[in-house]
Amino acid sequence: MPTSENGSPPVYREIAEELRGQIRSGRYADGDRLPGENTLMEHHGVARATARQALSVLINEGLAVAVRGSGIYVRQFRPLRRHGARRLSKDLWGNGRAIWQTDSDTRGYEVEGLVVDEVVPAEHVLRSLGLDPGNPAVRRSRRYLVEGRPVQSAVSYLSPLLWAGREDSPAAQRIRAPDSGPGGIYARLAELGHAPAHFTEEIRVRMPTPEEAEELALSPGTPVLEVARTALTSDHRPVEFNEITMDGSAYVLQYDFDA
Amino acid sequence: MPTSENGSPPVYREIAEELRGQIRSGRYADGDRLPGENTLMEHHGVARATARQALSVLINEGLAVAVRGSGIYVRQFRPLRRHGARRLSKDLWGNGRAIWQTDSDTRGYEVEGLVVDEVVPAEHVLRSLGLDPGNPAVRRSRRYLVEGRPVQSAVSYLSPLLWAGREDSPAAQRIRAPDSGPGGIYARLAELGHAPAHFTEEIRVRMPTPEEAEELALSPGTPVLEVARTALTSDHRPVEFNEITMDGSAYVLQYDFDA
DNA sequence: GAGTGGTCTAGACCACTGC
DNA sequence: CAGTGGTCTAGACCACTCT
């Protein structure tokens, strides 16, 4: 194919373009089965590899998914809505509700594979927490499912310095326990005198690593959203760093703010 | 390849995995040239198509880019930071500065291909503006470049009802002119008595359409960020809808808010 | 068992880059 | 002009799904 315009596009692109148009126009709806390799070979008089290449374009665009032994299907797409500001308002965790309960519409979240341990976090995590290199942190990892499907995995980091000298307090113990108690981690931080008052979230997009693709059961052509949240006290001390990796096709992020 | 685990992964995946590891470990740095098809064929004793398939994995992951006639190179990645709340504060457009001037660090934006016209917008646009189906709107489209590279394209919609009966006022004329004047569109809206007070932004991710890939000069494996912003007055009337498509590899979005 | 997609081989011609 | 990636053909064997 030429670097820019001029001659006609390669055959496989034209086939892909034709199918793409038919998907967009509604000729093929969500979940419908697309013409397979054999059909495309006949109809367009091309070799198998060329038909495959056309289909791989759609798959890498996230428009279609291949099911082995069955066919190629139009991808379905019904995102969840995640609210930025509203969901972290003190009203919620101040009253014993966990954050993620406000996230999804009527569909409920399930938490899976919660692991709590202590590690020396990566450099960017330490920086966000205002810790020096080599310092340890409590790490809380888990995965969230909606309707049985994994949609995000989250890892939260907290510095043990926040409860130094009070290791045995109920709040400090809960932070290191799988069940963080009513209101979650933020309520415990408040009990320790480190109530979160400000948040900053950084959003990045990229294609998943193979590990992430497996953990979130992503089909090819699905990008991930990476949300890195830092929670700060009213005097702007960082008290938590949370790294969330989300199925990009599963979410719409919403932020509301004033001029 | 097996549906889940068991047997060994296909050859092309192993080759891709090996290269991926070498990229991550720093064995190949940003912009370095990776072993090409011929090299992989020799070293791994595979056919050309298999070597190609391995490389296409990395390319679709956004880790590498192919340059015809030259080689395969490790992708570089240095994102811009786009601030959500801060950049839309009234201090900025209230004083005659355009929004995008606050966006990029030291690198400057250039605006290109500004087009102003009147159209009947898509349904979701009309809904965001609170307009009935079939209503027209002024559309302002443009593209932003950083260091000569296209990074986002934006389309803004405004209802003519906002200046009904005042078509000839300076503000209304500027809104329909390529140069919207000091402070940009939001300053003009304020002059018309529709000063934006609240914003809501919706963020979506997906793989680009071929048209978007061309417009933003995206290399394969690059997702796009879609930011849909609605500007509301203090009495919550929508006055502008802005749809921004961004090179996902070029941006980090940041939002700051309080508990 | 027929049909589907997944992997792989061994060729071919082309357009482009860089020396 | 040698080397690179881009496209394409014509086969092959396999694992899986569906009926």
Side-chain angles (χ1 to χ4, degrees):
Chain A
M1 193 198 45
T3 304
S4 41
E5 14 64 54
N6 74 20
S8 59
V11 184
Y12 78 92
R13 276 193 193 283
E14 291 196 325
I15 300 177
E17 180 58 42
E18 181 187 323
L19 291 173
R20 195 185 294 117
Q22 292 176 322
I23 292 173
R24 261 205 256 288
S25 75
R27 164 79 185 74
Y28 295 108
D30 278 7
D32 277 4
R33 186 177 161 170
L34 293 173
E37 302 177 353
N38 295 335
T39 311
L40 293 181
M41 287 168 71
E42 285 172 27
H43 285 23
H44 294 84
V46 294
R48 184 153 179 251
T50 305
R52 266 184 84 70
Q53 202 172 0
L55 292 170
S56 83
V57 169
L58 301 181
I59 291 171
N60 280 321
E61 285 177 358
L63 280 179
V65 286
V67 180
R68 193 208 290 256
S70 174
I72 309 276
Y73 299 87
V74 179
R75 175 97 168 266
Q76 340 221 23
F77 177 73
R78 251 218 315 153
L80 302 164
R81 188 170 292 259
R82 175 188 185 268
H83 290 272
R86 194 195 311 172
R87 62 196 282 284
L88 288 174
S89 81
K90 198 178 172 182
D91 303 346
L92 297 174
W93 52 265
N95 289 326
R97 291 184 62 193
I99 289 170
W100 45 265
Q101 285 176 345
T102 70
D103 250 4
S104 72
D105 349 336
T106 53
R107 299 174 266 184
Y109 273 87
E110 312 147 50
V111 181
E112 191 193 73
L114 176 61
V115 175
V116 184
D117 54 9
E118 193 164 318
V119 295
V120 175
E123 205 219 329
H124 73 280
V125 177
L126 288 168
R127 210 179 321 123
S128 296
L129 286 175
L131 296 176
D132 291 324
N135 266 336
V138 168
R139 176 175 67 176
R140 304 177 55 92
S141 320
R142 62 252 179 240
R143 211 158 66 126
Y144 295 100
L145 312 179
V146 169
E147 291 172 352
R149 170 184 159 196
V151 291
Q152 67 170 70
S153 75
V155 184
S156 167
Y157 297 90
L158 301 117
S159 167
L161 299 176
L162 295 174
W163 53 83
R166 289 179 290 169
E167 286 79 4
D168 298 332
S169 69
Q173 296 208 345
R174 273 254 161 95
I175 285 182
R176 286 165 294 172
D179 178 3
S180 56
I185 288 295
Y186 290 166
R188 298 297 83 70
L189 285 173
E191 291 165 13
L192 288 167
H194 307 298
H198 310 289
F199 298 94
T200 145
E201 295 197 342
E202 287 182 359
I203 301 170
R204 292 175 175 75
V205 211
R206 54 180 173 76
M207 297 311 284
T209 65
E211 295 75 32
E212 291 168 337
E214 187 179 351
E215 181 174 18
L216 295 175
L218 302 174
S219 38
T222 310
V224 292
L225 275 164
E226 217 176 58
V227 177
R229 180 178 65 230
T230 309
L232 306 155
T233 57
S234 55
D235 52 341
H236 292 89
R237 285 179 296 108
V239 288
E240 190 227 22
F241 180 74
N242 204 326
E243 213 159 32
I244 311 167
T245 306
M246 322 170 76
D247 176 344
S249 72
Y251 276 99
V252 176
L253 310 187
Q254 178 170 343
Y255 292 91
D256 303 309
F257 47 92
D258 299 328
Chain B
M1 194 194 47
T3 304
S4 40
E5 14 60 55
N6 73 18
S8 59
V11 184
Y12 78 92
R13 275 192 193 282
E14 292 195 324
I15 299 178
E17 181 58 43
E18 180 186 322
L19 291 173
R20 197 185 292 117
Q22 292 175 322
I23 291 173
R24 261 204 256 288
S25 74
R27 164 78 184 76
Y28 296 108
D30 278 8
D32 277 4
R33 186 177 162 169
L34 293 173
E37 303 178 353
N38 294 335
T39 311
L40 293 180
M41 288 168 71
E42 285 172 27
H43 284 24
H44 294 84
V46 295
R48 182 153 180 249
T50 305
R52 265 185 84 71
Q53 201 172 2
L55 291 170
S56 83
V57 169
L58 301 181
I59 290 171
N60 280 321
E61 284 178 358
L63 281 178
V65 286
V67 179
R68 163 153 21 199
S70 174
I72 311 276
Y73 298 87
V74 178
R75 176 98 168 264
Q76 344 219 20
F77 177 74
R78 250 217 316 156
L80 301 163
R81 188 170 292 261
R82 175 189 184 268
H83 290 272
R86 192 195 313 171
R87 62 194 283 284
L88 287 174
S89 82
K90 197 177 173 182
D91 304 345
L92 297 175
W93 53 265
N95 290 326
R97 292 184 61 192
I99 288 170
W100 44 266
Q101 287 176 344
T102 71
D103 250 4
S104 70
D105 349 336
T106 53
R107 299 174 267 184
Y109 273 87
E110 310 148 52
V111 182
E112 189 194 74
L114 175 61
V115 175
V116 184
D117 54 8
E118 192 164 320
V119 296
V120 175
E123 205 218 329
H124 73 279
V125 177
L126 288 168
R127 209 178 322 123
S128 296
L129 286 175
L131 296 176
D132 291 326
N135 267 336
V138 168
R139 176 175 67 178
R140 305 177 55 93
S141 319
R142 62 259 180 230
R143 208 157 67 127
Y144 296 98
L145 311 181
V146 169
E147 293 173 349
R149 171 183 159 198
V151 292
Q152 68 169 68
S153 75
V155 184
S156 167
Y157 297 90
L158 301 117
S159 167
L161 299 177
L162 294 174
W163 53 85
R166 288 179 290 170
E167 285 80 4
D168 298 330
S169 68
Q173 296 208 344
R174 274 252 160 95
I175 285 182
R176 287 165 293 172
D179 178 3
S180 57
I185 290 294
Y186 289 166
R188 300 295 85 70
L189 285 172
E191 290 164 12
L192 288 166
H194 307 298
H198 310 291
F199 298 94
T200 146
E201 294 196 345
E202 287 183 358
I203 301 170
R204 292 175 175 77
V205 212
R206 54 179 172 77
M207 296 312 283
T209 65
E211 295 75 32
E212 292 168 337
E214 188 180 349
E215 182 176 18
L216 295 176
L218 302 174
S219 39
T222 310
V224 292
L225 276 164
E226 217 175 59
V227 176
R229 178 178 66 229
T230 309
L232 307 156
T233 58
S234 55
D235 52 340
H236 292 89
R237 285 179 296 109
V239 289
E240 191 227 23
F241 179 74
N242 204 325
E243 214 159 31
I244 310 167
T245 307
M246 320 169 78
D247 176 344
S249 71
Y251 276 99
V252 177
L253 309 187
Q254 178 170 343
Y255 292 91
D256 303 308
F257 48 92
D258 299 328

